[in-house]
Amino acid sequence: MSKKVAVLVAGSWGTALASVLAANQLDVMMWTRGEDQANEINNKHTNTRYLPDAELSSRIQATTDMEAAVEGAIAVLIVAPSSAMRAVTNQLKAYYKPEMLVIHATKGFETESLKRMSTVISEELECEEGRVVVLSGPSHAEEVVKRCPTTVVVASLDKASAESAQALFMNAYFRVYTNRDMIGVELAGAFKNIIALGAGMSDGLQFGDNAKAALLTRGLAEITRIGVEMGANPLTFSGLAGIGDLVVTATSQHSRNWRAGSMLGQGQKLDDVLKSMGMVVEGIRTTQAAYFISQKYGVQMPIADQLYHVLFQERQPRDAVEALMGRDPKTEMEVMKLETWEQWHS
């Protein structure tokens, strides 16, 4: 008998990951709030709003009934937008069983509380945060659903949970590594969306390759600095969830964050950009969260700070670039807290 995995919700990334699971001979039940979307997935085996060119496996079914989606599942994959994560997991709580493997693939923060997604999930399901698994890495849904070679990482404090998630997803075109640094993987996946917005903005302003290379390099230093302060292993930011995801998100037209940044750089207003995109742009909410996280931890995040002012305080993109270029002289190599470094190298 085939094993069943529930996927919440039926957006582009959830659908792409459902396709990987179906390719691995697993039965997948996707949960969606849209009756029309569920009918399309079940009857036409397509999800045209999110992945218009993809034909889905008959192993993938959909329902608007949360209980039906989760019943009998060995694992639940949550791919809800960060803004909806608490509501979705609260709804899941009534049907969740402790033996279920819980995986999430959402890159962002709860803006109001500044909490990571694994924290939100564990609070709502009343389970140990260390058993939640996060899936992250350089992976566009449009390419995964076409079975393009892709490599990701699954992270959990619980080694067995990470290895179980690895076994569910691993196949000939979708390679999966494990990592024990769940905090670092979550932070890297969330924060890189900010830098991808900035990269798109730089391209929209036609600033060229030099500027974008500098933005990515200094952006990686910035997110590593705040990540280590929050308890992450610095090496995680040099891996798939860090530099790997940063490069793919900041350089590809598949990237919603890059596209949104490019439109902003071309002079479009934020509200118009969001209407045009028609889908969640996680980097916008993450920029807002990062602005307050940097203040909470007393860590400078100059790129995130300038993007916050562009997005939420009507600063012009060119003025933000001038502010970054005009900062006081610095040394390139920054010293992280010694006790944090020793913690990860003991």
Side-chain angles (χ1 to χ4, degrees), residues 139-152:
S139 47
H140 288 309
E142 295 85 351
E143 295 182 1
V144 170
V145 79
K146 293 178 181 177
R147 302 194 176 190
C148 296
T150 301
T151 307
V152 299

Side-chain angles (χ1 to χ4, degrees), residues 5-253:
V5 177
V7 177
L8 324 174
V9 298
S12 57
W13 190 215
T15 303
L17 289 174
S19 295
V20 175
L21 294 167
N24 291 351
Q25 305 304 304
L26 294 161
D27 290 331
V28 182
M29 183 63 79
M30 304 188 75
W31 175 79
T32 172
R33 290 191 175 95
E35 190 72 46
D36 290 342
Q37 186 185 31
N39 290 335
E40 180 189 351
I41 292 170
N42 293 334
N43 299 323
K44 297 182 179 180
H45 306 297
T46 59
N47 189 0
T48 51
R49 177 182 175 185
Y50 293 99
L51 291 172
D53 300 322
E55 182 177 343
L56 305 181
S57 167
S58 59
R59 285 186 174 274
I60 301 173
Q61 295 291 299
T63 180
T64 57
D65 184 338
M66 177 75 79
E67 183 177 11
V70 176
E71 184 179 10
I74 61 168
V76 179
L77 172 65
I78 311 173
V79 203
S82 60
S83 59
M85 182 61 80
R86 191 172 291 277
V88 170
T89 50
N90 178 268
Q91 192 170 345
L92 169 64
K93 181 179 179 180
Y95 315 112
Y96 163 75
K97 293 179 174 58
E99 62 269 23
M100 290 176 176
L101 178 65
V102 177
I103 309 162
H104 87 80
T106 299
K107 300 170 182 177
F109 296 92
E110 186 175 55
T111 307
E112 298 78 12
S113 68
L114 307 180
K115 291 177 180 178
R116 293 176 288 108
M117 293 294 98
S118 61
T119 304
V120 172
I121 292 168
S122 64
E123 286 179 352
E124 290 300 319
L125 298 183
E126 297 181 1
C127 66
E128 293 182 14
E129 182 178 343
R131 290 195 59 217
V132 176
V133 181
V134 54
L135 185 152
S136 192
S139 47
H140 288 309
E142 295 85 351
E143 295 182 1
V144 170
V145 79
K146 293 178 181 177
R147 302 194 176 190
C148 296
T150 301
T151 307
V152 299
V153 60
V154 288
S156 177
L157 297 178
D158 182 67
K159 182 173 180 286
S161 294
E163 290 176 346
S164 295
Q166 181 184 44
L168 285 178
F169 285 98
M170 185 93 160
N171 62 31
Y173 68 90
F174 200 77
R175 182 167 178 79
V176 184
Y177 288 87
T178 61
N179 190 326
R180 297 292 293 277
D181 182 21
M182 182 175 69
I183 293 175
V185 168
E186 279 191 293
L187 295 179
F191 284 134
K192 58 84 188 174
N193 285 332
I194 303 170
I195 310 306
L197 269 175
M201 195 177 298
S202 177
D203 286 338
L205 288 163
Q206 298 185 334
F207 279 165
D209 295 337
N210 295 349
K212 188 157 68 172
L215 184 68
L216 266 61
T217 305
R218 295 311 304 161
L220 182 63
E222 183 169 307
I223 63 180
T224 302
R225 189 165 58 240
I226 185 64
V228 169
E229 185 67 27
M230 295 175 71
N233 183 338
L235 296 179
T236 297
F237 297 90
S238 299
L240 290 166
I243 194 169
D245 206 3
L246 174 62
V247 168
V248 79
T249 310
T251 61
S252 172
Q253 294 187 21

